[in-house]
Amino acid sequence: RSSDLRALRVLSKITRSDNIQFDGLARVSHVTDATDWRVEYPFVVLHPDTESEIAHLVRACIALKLTIIPRGGGTGYTGGAVPLDKMSAVINTEKLESLSAVELIQLPGLDQPTATIYCGAGVVTRRVMDRAEANGLVFAVDPTSADASCIGGNVSMNAGGKKAVLWGTALDNLASWRMVTPDGLWMTVERLDHNLGKIHDVAMTTFRISRFEADETTPHGTPEILQIPGGKFRKTGLGKDVTDKFLSGLPGIQKEGCDGIITSARFILHRAHTYTRTVCMEFFGQVREAVPSIVEIKDYIDAHPHAVLAGLEHLDDRYLKAVGYATKSKRGARPKMVLLADVVGDDENAVAQAASEIVRLANLRSGEGFIAVSAEARKKFWLDRDRKSTRLNSSHEV
């Protein structure tokens, strides 16, 4: 087709011709994401080799009058990567997989160097988690899709996960990020005076926004300072508000690709605690009786002097049925609700005692508790929430 040839001629000046795909296999594999919604096939799929190509590709797509759709691992459940227009270009960022070593960086406004890691948008989340863990550190962004989702999506969706209870979501852990805007400009957003914790704990947050031309070096205007009250980022009593796409005007975060294409990001890392216990609580009574245990457990750990809740996840009846959850209880019946919690600390006895008390709290609400001690058993507890599984050892401590 003449439209294909024209697009190929324009785009091949920017990226290799084999990165420009009009074939049916490429188009059908990019017609949907984890939603499985299908509306239109994309006109073309682009797989840039480098971060530097993105801005030029965006400008070329604008000239070709193509709707631009950024895509990473395709694990989203909002339909953000689903083409709605026949004349659309999907820009797949999976090749942007540069991953730095753990780097001690002097972040703007801080007195001491901070452990950070720099990631390309196409890096799979699990790779970042593993690199941090190998250095005795924690990468806090931990979505259920960590084995398939990519960093660009984690930023644009403000991904959280079980660790958000202690360290917050992607927003709380970002030091800076780069993106290409819908008009083909480069944008760098830097957090100033990072509190190395949850963003809503500070009275005022400050970001520096710098824009550059497609060559990445020529400034486009002067840097902008954006100040946002910390409390604006969380809905009181509810935590992350997924409906707030404006997010006080902060570019890129929680925008599902509408503000532009995330190309890379630098995250802060946290010190790993010495001891961890994973507690699985299965509730067999009425849900209204079980749900208050979530608050009771969190209140108990928050008041504990030597133990911290580093992960907490709630699984309801529909989810348990969907994954074919295999109960650890000898009752045999599927529980009505499951809570998974990571209890951590540097005092082994205190962590063990706190885990046991959590089990006791569950017992008071028609629940049973199971404690995993070894790294292998703890990993298995968490994996069992995601897939059909065989019955684990039913003893109360592994």
Side-chain angles (χ1 to χ4, degrees):
R1 293 181 303 179
S2 60
S3 57
D4 292 13
L5 292 174
R6 177 172 178 256
L8 180 62
R9 186 168 58 251
V10 172
L11 296 168
S12 60
K13 295 176 182 178
I14 301 165
T15 190
R16 295 199 329 258
S17 58
D18 58 346
N19 291 337
I20 306 164
Q21 299 178 323
F22 298 96
D23 61 281
L25 179 60
R27 292 168 66 221
V28 77
S29 63
H30 289 76
V31 76
T32 188
D33 54 14
T35 62
D36 207 29
W37 297 336
R38 289 169 169 81
V39 181
E40 293 285 359
Y41 290 92
F43 171 71
V44 65
V45 178
L46 305 174
H47 292 268
D49 289 313
T50 65
E51 189 175 5
S52 296
E53 294 174 9
I54 301 289
H56 297 288
L57 287 174
V58 166
R59 293 189 176 200
C61 287
I62 293 170
L64 292 166
K65 298 184 178 179
L66 296 174
T67 299
I68 302 167
I69 301 169
R71 180 189 173 99
T75 60
Y77 279 101
T78 64
V82 177
L84 302 179
D85 190 309
K86 290 181 180 179
M87 296 306 292
S88 58
V90 174
I91 300 182
N92 188 311
T93 61
E94 288 180 309
K95 287 186 179 180
L96 308 186
E97 53 182 4
S98 59
L99 180 62
S100 76
V102 173
E103 300 173 309
L104 285 174
I105 299 291
Q106 192 78 39
L107 297 178
L110 300 190
D111 296 331
Q112 299 295 327
T114 302
T116 68
I117 192 164
Y118 191 79
C119 323
V123 177
V124 174
T125 312
R126 179 67 63 187
R127 288 184 57 208
V128 190
M129 295 167 66
D130 289 345
R131 181 153 296 183
E133 185 178 346
N135 288 270
L137 298 165
V138 176
F139 178 65
V141 183
D142 182 21
T144 305
S145 60
D147 291 314
S149 64
C150 298
I151 289 299
N154 292 165
V155 175
S156 66
M157 297 297 292
N158 190 15
K162 66 179 185 289
K163 296 173 185 172
V165 68
L166 178 58
W167 290 298
T169 61
L171 171 62
D172 303 85
N173 294 279
L174 278 162
S176 62
W177 59 98
R178 295 186 78 209
M179 57 186 287
V180 174
T181 64
D183 52 357
L185 292 174
W186 280 100
M187 179 184 286
T188 299
V189 184
E190 303 167 89
R191 173 96 180 265
L192 306 181
D193 304 313
H194 206 299
N195 67 326
L196 308 181
K198 292 183 178 178
I199 198 166
H200 61 269
D201 288 339
V202 296
M204 187 66 69
T205 59
T206 306
F207 297 88
R208 180 168 55 212
I209 302 170
S210 306
R211 295 173 177 83
F212 302 89
E213 299 294 341
D215 62 8
E216 303 180 65
T217 56
T218 305
H220 182 91
T222 56
E224 172 190 354
I225 298 297
L226 183 64
Q227 289 194 308
I228 307 169
K232 289 284 188 181
F233 293 107
R234 296 288 187 264
K235 196 163 187 175
T236 304
L238 293 179
K240 175 183 170 182
D241 180 2
V242 297
T243 68
D244 183 8
K245 297 305 175 187
F246 184 64
L247 208 66
S248 299
L250 184 64
I253 304 292
Q254 206 162 294
K255 304 302 197 307
E256 303 175 29
C258 293
D259 274 3
I261 303 175
I262 305 295
T263 61
S264 59
R266 183 176 295 279
F267 290 86
I268 64 169
L269 301 174
H270 303 274
R271 180 184 71 85
H273 292 86
T274 310
Y275 302 101
T276 303
R277 296 288 186 274
T278 297
V279 187
C280 175
M281 293 152 279
E282 299 181 343
F283 298 86
F284 295 89
Q286 295 295 319
V287 173
R288 65 175 177 269
E289 180 185 0
V291 167
S293 62
I294 300 172
V295 176
E296 292 167 357
I297 288 165
K298 188 172 186 308
D299 286 347
Y300 165 72
I301 293 292
D302 285 349
H304 199 291
H306 302 297
V308 176
L309 200 59
L312 183 65
E313 198 154 302
H314 163 262
L315 312 177
D316 65 14
D317 182 54
R318 288 181 300 174
Y319 183 92
L320 297 172
K321 184 177 182 180
V323 300
Y325 180 82
T327 178
K328 299 164 185 61
S329 169
K330 293 181 179 180
R331 302 187 193 199
R334 184 182 295 123
K336 299 292 185 183
M337 184 181 93
V338 169
L339 286 179
L340 282 164
D342 274 342
V343 182
V344 302
D346 297 319
D347 182 327
E348 185 174 14
N349 290 332
V351 171
Q353 179 270 329
S356 297
E357 179 61 18
I358 283 178
V359 170
R360 189 188 72 81
L361 291 172
N363 294 158
L364 295 175
R365 291 193 173 274
S366 301
E368 295 186 28
F370 307 87
I371 301 173
V373 179
S374 69
E376 182 180 355
R378 289 189 282 106
K379 183 178 181 181
K380 198 163 178 30
F381 270 29
W382 284 108
L383 286 175
D384 278 353
R385 84 202 196 277
D386 301 331
R387 65 189 184 196
K388 294 183 182 297
S389 56
T390 56
R391 186 183 300 275
L392 293 181
N393 185 327
S394 61
S395 66
H396 280 229
E397 186 151 289
V398 181

Coordinates of all heavy atoms in Angstrom, one line a residue, residues 169-223:
T169 N 3.9 3.7 46.6 CA 3.8 3.3 45.2 C 5.0 3.8 44.4 O 5.9 4.4 45.0 CB 2.5 3.8 44.6 OG1 2.5 5.2 44.7 CG2 1.2 3.3 45.4
A170 N 4.9 3.7 43.1 CA 6.0 4.2 42.3 C 6.3 5.6 42.5 O 7.5 6.0 42.6 CB 5.7 3.9 40.8
L171 N 5.3 6.4 42.7 CA 5.4 7.9 42.9 C 6.3 8.2 44.1 O 7.1 9.1 44.1 CB 4.0 8.5 43.1 CG 4.0 10.0 43.5 CD1 4.6 10.9 42.5 CD2 2.5 10.4 43.8
D172 N 6.1 7.4 45.2 CA 6.9 7.7 46.4 C 8.3 7.3 46.3 O 9.2 7.8 47.0 CB 6.3 6.8 47.6 CG 4.8 7.1 47.8 OD1 4.0 6.5 47.1 OD2 4.5 7.9 48.6
N173 N 8.7 6.5 45.3 CA 10.0 5.9 45.2 C 10.8 6.4 44.0 O 11.9 6.0 43.8 CB 9.9 4.4 45.1 CG 9.4 3.8 46.4 OD1 10.2 3.7 47.4 ND2 8.1 3.5 46.5
L174 N 10.2 7.3 43.2 CA 10.9 7.9 42.1 C 11.7 9.1 42.5 O 11.3 10.0 43.1 CB 9.8 8.3 41.0 CG 9.3 7.2 40.1 CD1 8.0 7.7 39.4 CD2 10.3 6.9 39.1
A175 N 13.0 9.1 42.0 CA 13.9 10.2 42.2 C 13.8 11.1 40.9 O 13.8 12.3 41.1 CB 15.3 9.8 42.4
S176 N 13.6 10.5 39.7 CA 13.5 11.3 38.5 C 13.0 10.4 37.4 O 13.1 9.1 37.5 CB 14.8 11.9 38.1 OG 15.8 10.9 37.8
W177 N 12.5 10.9 36.3 CA 12.1 10.1 35.2 C 12.1 11.0 33.9 O 12.1 12.2 34.0 CB 10.7 9.5 35.3 CG 9.6 10.5 35.5 CD1 8.7 10.9 34.6 CD2 9.1 11.0 36.8 NE1 7.7 11.7 35.2 CE2 8.0 11.8 36.5 CE3 9.6 11.0 38.1 CZ2 7.3 12.5 37.5 CZ3 8.9 11.7 39.1 CH2 7.8 12.5 38.8
R178 N 12.3 10.3 32.8 CA 12.4 11.0 31.5 C 11.2 10.5 30.7 O 10.8 9.3 30.7 CB 13.7 10.6 30.7 CG 14.9 11.2 31.4 CD 16.1 10.9 30.4 NE 16.2 11.8 29.3 CZ 16.7 11.6 28.2 NH1 17.1 10.4 27.9 NH2 16.8 12.5 27.2
M179 N 10.7 11.4 29.8 CA 9.6 11.1 29.0 C 9.6 11.9 27.7 O 10.3 13.0 27.7 CB 8.2 11.2 29.7 CG 8.0 12.6 30.3 SD 6.5 12.7 31.3 CE 5.2 12.6 30.0
V180 N 8.9 11.5 26.7 CA 8.7 12.3 25.5 C 7.2 12.7 25.5 O 6.3 11.9 25.6 CB 9.0 11.4 24.2 CG1 8.7 12.2 23.0 CG2 10.5 11.1 24.2
T181 N 7.0 14.0 25.3 CA 5.7 14.6 25.3 C 4.9 14.3 24.0 O 5.6 14.0 23.0 CB 5.7 16.1 25.6 OG1 6.4 16.7 24.6 CG2 6.5 16.3 26.9
P182 N 3.6 14.5 24.0 CA 2.9 14.3 22.7 C 3.3 15.2 21.6 O 2.9 14.9 20.4 CB 1.4 14.6 23.1 CG 1.4 14.3 24.6 CD 2.7 14.7 25.1
D183 N 4.0 16.3 21.8 CA 4.5 17.1 20.8 C 6.0 16.9 20.4 O 6.6 17.7 19.7 CB 4.3 18.6 21.1 CG 4.8 19.0 22.4 OD1 5.3 18.1 23.2 OD2 4.7 20.2 22.8
G184 N 6.5 15.8 20.9 CA 7.9 15.3 20.5 C 9.0 16.0 21.3 O 10.1 16.1 20.8
L185 N 8.7 16.6 22.4 CA 9.7 17.2 23.3 C 10.2 16.2 24.3 O 9.4 15.4 24.8 CB 9.2 18.5 24.0 CG 8.9 19.7 23.1 CD1 8.3 20.8 24.0 CD2 10.1 20.2 22.4
W186 N 11.5 16.4 24.7 CA 12.0 15.6 25.9 C 11.6 16.3 27.2 O 11.7 17.6 27.2 CB 13.5 15.4 25.8 CG 13.9 14.3 24.9 CD1 14.3 14.5 23.6 CD2 13.8 12.9 25.1 NE1 14.6 13.3 23.1 CE2 14.3 12.3 24.0 CE3 13.5 12.2 26.2 CZ2 14.4 10.9 23.9 CZ3 13.5 10.8 26.1 CH2 14.0 10.2 25.0
M187 N 11.2 15.6 28.2 CA 11.0 16.1 29.5 C 11.6 15.3 30.6 O 11.6 14.1 30.6 CB 9.4 16.2 29.8 CG 9.1 16.7 31.1 SD 7.3 16.7 31.4 CE 6.7 18.0 30.4
T188 N 12.3 16.0 31.5 CA 12.9 15.4 32.6 C 12.3 15.9 33.9 O 12.2 17.1 34.0 CB 14.4 15.6 32.7 OG1 15.1 15.1 31.5 CG2 15.0 15.0 33.9
V189 N 11.7 15.0 34.7 CA 11.1 15.5 36.0 C 12.0 14.9 37.1 O 12.2 13.8 37.2 CB 9.7 14.9 36.1 CG1 9.0 15.4 37.3 CG2 8.9 15.2 34.8
E190 N 12.4 15.9 38.0 CA 13.2 15.5 39.2 C 12.5 15.9 40.5 O 12.0 17.0 40.6 CB 14.6 16.3 39.1 CG 15.4 16.1 37.8 CD 16.5 17.1 37.7 OE1 17.6 16.8 38.3 OE2 16.3 18.1 37.2
R191 N 12.5 15.0 41.4 CA 12.0 15.3 42.7 C 13.1 16.0 43.5 O 14.2 15.5 43.6 CB 11.6 13.9 43.4 CG 11.2 14.0 44.8 CD 9.7 14.1 45.0 NE 9.4 14.2 46.5 CZ 9.1 13.2 47.2 NH1 9.0 12.0 46.7 NH2 8.8 13.3 48.5
L192 N 12.8 17.1 44.1 CA 13.7 17.8 44.9 C 13.4 17.6 46.4 O 12.2 17.4 46.8 CB 13.6 19.3 44.6 CG 13.8 19.7 43.2 CD1 13.7 21.3 43.0 CD2 15.1 19.2 42.6
D193 N 14.4 17.5 47.2 CA 14.2 17.3 48.7 C 13.4 16.1 49.0 O 12.4 16.1 49.8 CB 13.5 18.6 49.3 CG 14.3 19.8 49.0 OD1 15.5 19.8 49.2 OD2 13.7 20.8 48.6
H194 N 13.8 15.0 48.4 CA 13.1 13.7 48.6 C 13.1 13.3 50.0 O 14.1 13.3 50.7 CB 13.7 12.6 47.7 CG 12.8 11.5 47.3 ND1 12.2 10.7 48.2 CD2 12.5 11.0 46.1 CE1 11.5 9.8 47.6 NE2 11.6 10.0 46.3
N195 N 11.9 12.9 50.6 CA 11.9 12.5 52.0 C 12.2 11.0 52.2 O 12.2 10.5 53.3 CB 10.5 12.8 52.6 CG 9.4 11.9 52.0 OD1 9.4 11.6 50.8 ND2 8.4 11.6 52.8
L196 N 12.5 10.3 51.1 CA 12.9 8.8 51.1 C 11.8 8.0 51.8 O 12.1 6.9 52.3 CB 14.2 8.6 51.8 CG 15.4 9.5 51.3 CD1 16.7 9.2 52.0 CD2 15.6 9.3 49.8
G197 N 10.6 8.5 51.7 CA 9.4 7.8 52.3 C 8.2 8.1 51.5 O 8.2 8.5 50.4
K198 N 7.0 7.9 52.2 CA 5.8 8.2 51.5 C 5.6 9.7 51.2 O 5.8 10.5 52.1 CB 4.6 7.6 52.3 CG 4.6 6.1 52.4 CD 3.4 5.5 53.2 CE 3.5 4.0 53.2 NZ 2.3 3.5 53.9
I199 N 5.2 10.0 50.0 CA 5.1 11.4 49.6 C 4.1 12.2 50.4 O 4.2 13.4 50.6 CB 4.8 11.4 48.1 CG1 5.2 12.8 47.5 CG2 3.4 11.1 47.7 CD1 5.3 12.8 46.0
H200 N 3.0 11.5 50.8 CA 2.0 12.3 51.5 C 2.3 12.6 53.0 O 1.6 13.3 53.7 CB 0.6 11.5 51.5 CG 0.7 10.2 52.2 ND1 1.0 9.1 51.5 CD2 0.4 9.8 53.5 CE1 0.9 8.0 52.3 NE2 0.6 8.5 53.5
D201 N 3.5 12.2 53.4 CA 4.0 12.5 54.8 C 4.6 13.8 54.9 O 4.9 14.3 56.0 CB 5.0 11.4 55.3 CG 4.3 10.1 55.6 OD1 3.1 10.1 55.8 OD2 5.0 9.0 55.6
V202 N 4.9 14.5 53.7 CA 5.5 15.8 53.8 C 4.5 16.9 53.5 O 3.5 16.6 52.7 CB 6.7 15.9 52.8 CG1 7.8 14.9 53.2 CG2 6.3 15.6 51.4
A203 N 4.7 18.0 54.0 CA 3.7 19.1 53.8 C 3.7 19.6 52.4 O 2.7 19.9 51.8 CB 4.1 20.3 54.8
M204 N 4.9 19.7 51.8 CA 5.0 20.3 50.4 C 6.1 19.5 49.6 O 7.1 19.2 50.1 CB 5.4 21.7 50.4 CG 5.4 22.4 49.1 SD 3.7 22.6 48.4 CE 3.0 23.8 49.6
T205 N 5.7 19.1 48.4 CA 6.7 18.4 47.6 C 7.1 19.3 46.4 O 6.3 20.2 46.0 CB 6.1 17.1 46.9 OG1 4.9 17.4 46.2 CG2 5.7 16.1 48.0
T206 N 8.3 19.2 46.0 CA 8.8 20.0 44.9 C 9.4 19.2 43.8 O 10.2 18.3 44.0 CB 9.9 21.0 45.5 OG1 9.3 21.7 46.6 CG2 10.3 22.0 44.4
F207 N 9.0 19.6 42.6 CA 9.6 18.9 41.4 C 10.1 19.9 40.4 O 9.6 21.0 40.3 CB 8.5 18.1 40.6 CG 7.9 17.0 41.5 CD1 6.8 17.3 42.3 CD2 8.4 15.7 41.4 CE1 6.2 16.2 43.1 CE2 7.8 14.7 42.1 CZ 6.7 15.0 43.0
R208 N 11.2 19.6 39.7 CA 11.8 20.4 38.7 C 11.5 19.8 37.4 O 11.9 18.6 37.1 CB 13.3 20.6 38.9 CG 14.0 21.5 37.9 CD 15.4 21.9 38.3 NE 16.2 20.8 38.6 CZ 17.2 20.8 39.5 NH1 17.4 21.9 40.2 NH2 17.9 19.7 39.7
I209 N 10.9 20.5 36.4 CA 10.5 20.0 35.1 C 11.3 20.7 34.1 O 11.2 21.9 33.9 CB 9.0 20.2 34.9 CG1 8.2 19.5 36.0 CG2 8.7 19.6 33.5 CD1 6.8 19.8 35.9
S210 N 12.2 20.0 33.3 CA 13.0 20.6 32.3 C 12.6 20.0 30.9 O 12.4 18.8 30.8 CB 14.5 20.3 32.6 OG 14.8 20.7 33.9
R211 N 12.5 20.8 29.9 CA 12.1 20.4 28.6 C 13.3 20.6 27.6 O 14.0 21.6 27.7 CB 10.9 21.1 28.1 CG 9.6 20.8 28.9 CD 8.4 21.6 28.6 NE 7.2 21.3 29.3 CZ 7.0 21.7 30.5 NH1 7.8 22.6 31.1 NH2 5.9 21.4 31.2
F212 N 13.4 19.7 26.6 CA 14.5 19.8 25.6 C 13.9 19.4 24.3 O 12.9 18.7 24.1 CB 15.6 18.8 26.0 CG 16.2 19.0 27.3 CD1 15.7 18.4 28.5 CD2 17.3 19.9 27.5 CE1 16.3 18.6 29.7 CE2 17.8 20.1 28.8 CZ 17.3 19.5 29.9
E213 N 14.6 19.9 23.2 CA 14.2 19.6 21.9 C 14.5 18.1 21.6 O 15.1 17.4 22.4 CB 15.0 20.5 20.9 CG 14.7 22.0 21.0 CD 13.2 22.3 20.7 OE1 12.5 21.5 20.0 OE2 12.7 23.4 21.1
A214 N 14.2 17.6 20.4 CA 14.4 16.2 20.1 C 15.8 15.8 20.1 O 16.1 14.6 20.3 CB 13.8 15.9 18.7
D215 N 16.8 16.7 20.0 CA 18.2 16.3 20.1 C 18.6 16.0 21.6 O 19.8 15.7 21.8 CB 19.1 17.4 19.5 CG 19.0 18.8 20.3 OD1 18.4 18.8 21.3 OD2 19.5 19.8 19.8
E216 N 17.8 16.2 22.5 CA 18.0 15.9 24.0 C 18.9 16.9 24.7 O 19.0 16.8 25.9 CB 18.5 14.5 24.1 CG 17.7 13.4 23.5 CD 18.3 12.0 23.7 OE1 18.3 11.6 24.9 OE2 18.6 11.4 22.7
T217 N 19.5 17.8 24.0 CA 20.4 18.8 24.7 C 19.9 20.2 24.6 O 20.2 21.0 25.5 CB 21.8 18.7 24.1 OG1 21.7 18.9 22.6 CG2 22.4 17.3 24.3
T218 N 19.3 20.6 23.5 CA 18.8 22.0 23.4 C 17.7 22.3 24.3 O 16.6 21.7 24.1 CB 18.5 22.3 21.9 OG1 19.6 22.0 21.1 CG2 18.1 23.8 21.8
P219 N 17.8 23.2 25.3 CA 16.7 23.5 26.2 C 15.5 24.1 25.4 O 15.6 24.8 24.5 CB 17.3 24.5 27.2 CG 18.7 24.3 27.1 CD 19.0 24.0 25.7
H220 N 14.3 23.7 25.9 CA 13.1 24.3 25.3 C 12.4 25.0 26.5 O 11.7 24.5 27.3 CB 12.1 23.1 24.8 CG 10.9 23.6 24.2 ND1 10.7 23.9 22.9 CD2 9.6 23.9 24.8 CE1 9.5 24.3 22.7 NE2 8.8 24.4 23.8
G221 N 12.7 26.3 26.5 CA 12.2 27.1 27.6 C 13.1 27.0 28.9 O 14.1 26.3 28.8
T222 N 12.7 27.5 29.9 CA 13.4 27.4 31.2 C 12.7 26.4 32.1 O 11.5 26.1 32.0 CB 13.4 28.8 31.9 OG1 12.0 29.2 32.1 CG2 14.1 29.8 31.1
P223 N 13.5 25.7 33.0 CA 12.9 24.7 33.9 C 11.8 25.3 34.7 O 11.8 26.5 35.1 CB 14.1 24.3 34.7 CG 15.3 24.6 33.9 CD 15.0 25.9 33.1

